[in-house]
Amino acid sequence: MEIGLSVIIPIYNGIQYLEKQIMQIREASRKINLGVEIIFSNDDPGIPLPEQLDGGGLEIIELQTDRNQGIQRSRIRGLSVSRGQYIHFLDQDDEISPDFYSSQLEEIGDADFVFCRCYNGNRQPYNFDRVFEEAFEGEKIFSVCPMISPGQALIRKKSIPEFWQTHYLGKVGSDDYFLWLCMYAEHAIVAYNQNILFRHVKTGENYSIDVLRTFEADMEMVNLLLDEKIFVGGEAEMLRALPQINLKRRYLPQKKDQMVLYVLDKLLRAEERGNTLEKYFQKKCIKSIAIYGAAILGERVKGLLKAG
């Protein structure tokens, strides 16, 4: 069958994810009448990909590297050898529904790309701050990245901007945002798929470092787009304000995460000294509690009480 869909997956310190990605893509491919290729674009010269991966009927292409170049170049390297008319940029540890491709192909219509609702970790990210149906409107796209991950989108290969393919960001953190802004600048037509088909898996990377790194990457991206006059007039002014807006948006959650870590540290220290939550509640004659709105902290408290 002729290749119609290319799934491009940059790999960095992620050999453990290869089989999982092949399995979930194979499962999702069963519902579509397109040939599928998976392109693993390795960006880690120190850890080569295993030879002759079993695609279970899907074609596997492995691209090795002699030096680390970053995720944008890894995606573009995969794009350069792709044969499908549709492109799916999937991160190495993210998850898709078995209905991902069938649903996205049904919804794309005549649009340049389609993106779906998703989970970011265990939460749905679209709200008053990032409205799903308005994600690619002018004022919105210049204040917050419209997608959590490119893995939410299915893109027509011919619609991927040449500018994005030939201008590289040196700093990692705004690669995806750069793509969507380039597509917006070319007046790409977007289709919105209301189905939840994707999960962005959060890793344990240092969040405070990520905030600074992403701010610097935003600055590099904005300066490049302004220098090349991709945006002018009012849009240029909105773009110029983007790094500071996003810095504030990321800084506040960071402070909240720091408070959660502070409380967890206190809980663990108390447990180490034998001062368990169970003993504390017994001492206070508390026989039942309700945990509400504490997210990961609430889950840990519930786990400690169950273990007691």
Side-chain angles (χ1 to χ4, degrees):
M1 185 182 298
E2 184 178 353
I3 298 296
L5 168 64
S6 300
V7 186
I8 299 170
I9 307 176
I11 299 295
Y12 185 81
N13 193 26
I15 299 297
Q16 67 272 26
Y17 298 113
L18 299 182
E19 289 187 8
K20 171 188 171 183
Q21 290 295 3
I22 292 171
M23 289 177 60
Q24 68 170 352
I25 293 167
R26 186 171 66 225
E27 180 69 21
S29 300
R30 289 173 179 167
K31 299 186 177 183
I32 62 174
N33 190 30
L34 289 176
V36 178
E37 64 181 2
I38 303 175
I39 303 172
F40 289 114
S41 183
N42 188 21
D43 197 38
D44 188 352
I47 306 178
L49 298 175
E51 296 181 2
Q52 297 180 334
L53 287 167
D54 182 9
L58 303 181
E59 187 163 344
I60 303 292
I61 298 174
E62 300 179 40
L63 303 179
Q64 303 289 354
T65 185
D66 57 359
R67 59 191 176 94
N68 174 255
Q69 299 184 71
I71 194 167
Q72 182 191 1
R73 286 179 185 256
S74 292
R75 288 177 178 142
I76 293 170
R77 190 163 63 243
L79 184 64
S80 69
V81 302
S82 64
R83 292 170 290 165
Q85 71 176 103
Y86 297 103
I87 300 296
H88 184 203
F89 291 121
L90 188 63
D91 287 347
Q92 63 185 18
D93 50 357
D94 287 342
E95 301 171 358
I96 60 172
S97 160
D99 297 321
F100 184 90
Y101 297 124
S102 58
S103 181
Q104 296 283 62
L105 287 168
E106 183 178 345
E107 294 294 332
I108 194 170
D110 296 326
D112 294 292
F113 67 105
V114 58
F115 82 113
C116 63
R117 288 185 177 272
C118 69
Y119 284 108
N120 186 22
N122 293 319
R123 297 190 176 194
Q124 295 185 43
Y126 292 97
N127 50 34
F128 67 91
D129 186 45
R130 186 192 265 118
V131 180
F132 182 73
E133 296 83 356
E134 300 174 359
F136 282 88
E137 292 185 5
E139 292 185 5
K140 296 291 184 180
I141 199 171
F142 289 112
S143 63
V144 61
C145 186
M147 292 194 208
I148 297 301
S149 168
Q152 288 173 254
L154 190 67
I155 311 172
R156 294 188 192 276
K157 183 177 180 179
K158 65 179 182 180
S159 301
I160 297 176
E162 186 70 20
F163 188 85
W164 179 79
Q165 297 182 54
T166 55
H167 291 75
Y168 309 115
L169 298 180
K171 298 183 182 297
V172 177
S174 299
D175 317 84
D176 309 342
Y177 210 163
F178 184 35
L179 173 59
W180 309 132
L181 284 168
C182 288
M183 295 194 75
Y184 176 85
E186 294 193 356
H187 309 290
I189 298 172
V190 56
Y192 297 87
N193 189 341
Q194 296 289 344
N195 294 311
I196 300 175
L197 304 169
F198 174 83
R199 183 187 300 275
H200 176 58
V201 178
K202 293 185 176 182
T203 62
E205 294 180 13
N206 187 293
Y207 193 73
S208 62
I209 293 176
D210 284 351
V211 170
L212 178 59
R213 182 185 68 183
T214 305
F215 173 73
E216 293 174 344
D218 282 349
M219 288 294 297
E220 181 187 11
M221 173 187 70
V222 166
N223 289 334
L224 174 60
L225 292 168
L226 291 176
D227 289 345
E228 297 293 331
K229 294 183 169 46
I230 302 300
F231 295 101
V232 296
E235 289 186 336
E237 291 306 310
M238 288 190 289
L239 180 65
R240 193 170 280 110
L242 182 153
Q244 287 293 339
I245 292 173
N246 274 322
L247 180 63
K248 291 178 181 178
R249 179 177 284 109
R250 295 184 182 105
Y251 177 73
L252 293 177
Q254 178 194 356
K255 298 301 289 184
K256 180 179 177 181
D257 288 348
Q258 288 177 342
M259 289 303 298
V260 169
L261 290 173
Y262 174 80
V263 175
L264 287 174
D265 178 64
K266 292 297 184 183
L267 279 173
L268 289 172
R269 288 177 183 272
E271 289 276 330
E272 289 170 358
R273 294 192 297 268
N275 299 324
T276 66
L277 279 175
E278 182 185 15
K279 290 180 180 178
Y280 174 81
F281 288 129
Q282 287 177 346
K283 184 178 179 180
K284 297 292 184 179
C285 298
I286 297 173
K287 297 182 179 180
S288 63
I289 64 169
I291 302 172
Y292 176 75
I296 190 171
L297 181 58
E299 290 296 322
R300 297 287 71 78
V301 168
K302 183 171 67 175
L304 287 172
L305 291 173
K306 282 186 174 181

